[in-house]
Amino acid sequence: MNPPTIPVVDVRPATTHFESIGAEPAVTRIVDAFYRQMDTRPEAREIRAMHGPDLAPVKAVLVRYLCEWLGGPKHYSAERGHPRLRMRHAAFAIGAAERDAWLACMHAALDETDIDPAMRDTLMQSFFRTADWMRNNGR
């Protein structure tokens, strides 16, 4: 008589969004496309004006933040501490129009970089919740 078979359980962690979209190179492409959208969309003029002329520093920060937010390396927190997004953006008037412009730029960036449509929809739902929470102006 054979002993009972013990099922093998895979204990590896589930694939993160970071891994499934292509890790840091994909995040960098998304961030580049996002700011390209911000530079060209008329409805994004106000949020683009919240940034300096040189986008390189803010792009680097957004890449680190999104990498961590998507489940990748925690370089953002190691360098800057807790994200404290509302505090870091408190100096900027963020209303529904600014939220919607940011989301439009991000949606277009995800489309431009060929993110899987199901993943794009999942990310956009999360981006909406965060962007809506960032509002600090009743406009």
Side-chain angles (χ1 to χ4, degrees), residues 50-102:
M50 295 176 185
H51 300 77
D54 180 10
L55 289 173
V58 74
K59 282 181 176 183
V61 169
L62 186 55
V63 166
R64 286 191 296 277
Y65 174 77
L66 288 178
C67 283
E68 184 169 327
W69 183 77
L70 291 164
K74 300 195 180 311
H75 299 308
Y76 178 92
S77 293
E79 293 174 15
R80 299 176 61 94
H82 188 280
R84 293 185 210 131
L85 293 178
R86 288 196 75 170
M87 180 196 78
R88 293 182 195 272
H89 291 81
F92 306 104
I94 301 171
E98 291 78 16
R99 174 203 62 202
D100 293 347
W102 193 97

Side-chain angles (χ1 to χ4, degrees), residues 2 6 11 20 27 31 39-40 43 49 74 83 89 93 100 110 120 122-123 138:
N2 293 331
I6 299 173
V11 293
S20 67
V27 174
V31 169
D39 273 338
T40 59
E43 71 270 24
K74 300 195 180 311
H89 291 81
D100 293 347
L110 294 174
R120 181 203 57 218
T122 296
L123 294 177

